[in-house]
Amino acid sequence: MSSLVIESPAPVLLPVNGTEAQFPVRRVYCIGRNYAAHAVEMGHDPDREPPFFFQKNPNNLDASGEFPYPKHSNDVHHEVELAVMLKSGGDDIALNDALGHVYGYALSLDMTRRDLQGAQKKLGRPWEIGKAFERSAPVGPIHPVTSVGHPDQGRIELKVNNNITQEGDLNQMIWKVPEMISYLSEYFTIEAGDVILAGTPAGVGPVHRGDVMEVSVDGLGSMTVNVT
Ligand code: MN
């Protein structure tokens, strides 16, 4: 009989819309530059090059509706994204099988300490300090595929203090959801509980304490997040 030498870390659990049941998180993958107009605004070529991913930590996901402005940055940006929650996985998942592994979808924000990320980029260093900080990924309740299907088109939008700052359409994603799942599974073993943040449309920009962010995606409702 083994025992733990420290208390087991709390599991990361996300709410599922319309039920008390929760979704346990295993890993979080985030794709970079997945909408051409956002790639251009960040100074990159919008051509379809192989995708690239970075990771956030499972407990960076936060369904509280509050985003505490983080330390060590004066330029924290919003990135509205579709989140994809997986119920199963594997290695080398075929494109045609990929959607069968999706449990559901949610609204999310890939909050970014842009100044720190920019400094890391310049030095060719990893991005965690800019991306994977505490509560850096506000997320709404998960909408199961059984209720909403697989949203692959429709408006994705972010308002800050009632002004539209980001807007796009899910059909503008360079790498579609099945392609991201299939690609990731070539390099990592994908499992139930994995989450993919599917990239952000153009219009990223700074937030400040006191701002109210309102995220919406057609078919997935809306989510309000207060910057505190
Ligand atoms: Mn992003």
Side-chain angles (χ1 to χ4, degrees), residues 31 54 79 81 110 131 199-200:
I31 191 168
F54 59 91
E79 297 189 359
E81 313 211 356
D110 166 16
K131 288 288 196 179
T200 198

Side-chain angles (χ1 to χ4, degrees), residues 161-179:
N161 303 331
N162 251 343
N163 301 311
I164 295 173
T165 54
Q166 287 194 264
E167 54 187 329
D169 193 293
L170 296 179
N171 68 14
Q172 296 166 337
M173 288 198 294
I174 297 169
W175 294 90
K176 310 300 184 193
V177 172
E179 293 174 317

Side-chain angles (χ1 to χ4, degrees), residues 131-190:
K131 288 288 196 179
F133 56 92
E134 306 315 319
R135 301 176 73 174
S136 59
V139 61
I142 302 168
H143 299 264
V145 168
T146 48
S147 310
V148 297
H150 296 282
D152 58 3
Q153 58 177 335
R155 186 172 171 79
I156 177 169
E157 178 190 279
L158 172 66
K159 289 181 192 169
V160 178
N161 303 331
N162 251 343
N163 301 311
I164 295 173
T165 54
Q166 287 194 264
E167 54 187 329
D169 193 293
L170 296 179
N171 68 14
Q172 296 166 337
M173 288 198 294
I174 297 169
W175 294 90
K176 310 300 184 193
V177 172
E179 293 174 317
M180 287 188 276
I181 294 169
S182 181
Y183 186 90
L184 279 169
S185 74
E186 289 177 31
Y187 293 87
F188 306 99
T189 299
I190 298 300

Side-chain angles (χ1 to χ4, degrees), residues 30-33 38 54 56 79-81 109-112 114 131 197-200:
C30 309
I31 191 168
R33 293 169 213 151
H38 172 62
F54 59 91
K56 296 211 186 210
E79 297 189 359
V80 58
E81 313 211 356
L109 285 159
D110 166 16
M111 299 304 294
T112 303
R114 192 72 76 200
K131 288 288 196 179
L197 301 193
T200 198

Side-chain angles (χ1 to χ4, degrees), residues 59-130:
N59 65 0
N60 295 155
L61 294 172
D62 180 3
S64 72
E66 256 186 39
F67 173 70
Y69 199 94
K71 290 189 290 186
H72 302 300
S73 178
N74 295 308
D75 193 27
V76 176
H77 279 202
H78 54 70
E79 297 189 359
V80 58
E81 313 211 356
L82 176 71
V84 185
M85 280 69 183
L86 302 181
K87 64 180 180 183
S88 54
D91 295 298
D92 303 318
I93 296 169
L95 212 46
N96 285 341
D97 297 333
L99 285 183
H101 295 288
V102 178
Y103 172 75
Y105 297 89
L107 307 174
S108 67
L109 285 159
D110 166 16
M111 299 304 294
T112 303
R113 293 195 278 213
R114 192 72 76 200
D115 42 3
L116 299 189
Q117 183 201 25
Q120 296 298 97
K121 275 186 185 175
K122 251 183 221 157
L123 295 167
R125 290 179 181 165
W127 288 5
E128 279 87 351
I129 201 167

